[in-house]
Amino acid sequence: MFSSLETVIGWAARRFGMPAATYPQAGSDLPFAVVNRVSGPCEYPHDYPRYAVQFWTESDAQGESLAFACARASQELLDESERINAVGTPEITQLGLIDGGGFVWQVAFDLATNIYEN
């Protein structure tokens, strides 16, 4: 079965050359990406997930740079799967300092997908 979550995680890891998962991995070095579905309606056979890609980094400058790169590259998701029909306009949010050091920047965007299974 098609998983838009798995698709976005794989894309983020390859595109930005860092570990990516749905939660921070214990002992991971910065930077890494955390990808979550944060909302979105599902009206079978279509799904409209909203994804947040967070970049956990060593500095605000690094986080901002990755966030801008992600926003610019988000349309590449159209090439990741024939089931992704559209990518919405990305929004960037600075989430701030994390416990133990490091900074988090987030890029959120909507997808329009076809989840029809034969």
Side-chain angles (χ1 to χ4, degrees):
M1 176 171 217
F2 171 70
S3 169
S4 58
L5 177 62
E6 186 175 287
T7 301
V8 175
I9 290 170
W11 169 79
R14 286 187 310 279
R15 179 64 173 81
F16 301 104
M18 64 181 64
T22 57
Y23 56 90
Q25 304 295 299
S28 289
D29 293 329
L30 299 175
F32 60 84
V34 174
V35 178
N36 293 119
R37 180 179 179 145
V38 294
S39 67
C42 180
E43 187 175 345
Y44 187 83
H46 303 288
D47 188 27
Y48 304 95
R50 180 165 186 79
Y51 281 103
V53 179
Q54 295 179 351
F55 293 100
W56 295 48
T57 63
E58 294 179 2
S59 70
D60 262 336
Q62 182 184 30
E64 181 181 36
S65 178
L66 284 165
F68 285 142
C70 182
R72 286 191 312 270
S74 62
Q75 291 298 314
E76 293 173 3
L77 282 161
L78 290 168
D79 297 327
E80 290 293 308
S81 172
E82 62 190 20
R83 293 182 180 258
I84 298 176
N85 300 319
V87 180
T89 303
E91 298 174 358
I92 296 174
T93 305
Q94 179 184 18
L95 297 178
L97 184 65
I98 57 177
D99 288 342
F103 300 83
V104 182
W105 282 71
Q106 176 176 285
V107 180
F109 50 84
D110 298 316
L111 296 182
T113 68
N114 179 341
I115 57 173
Y116 177 75
E117 292 291 329
N118 292 336

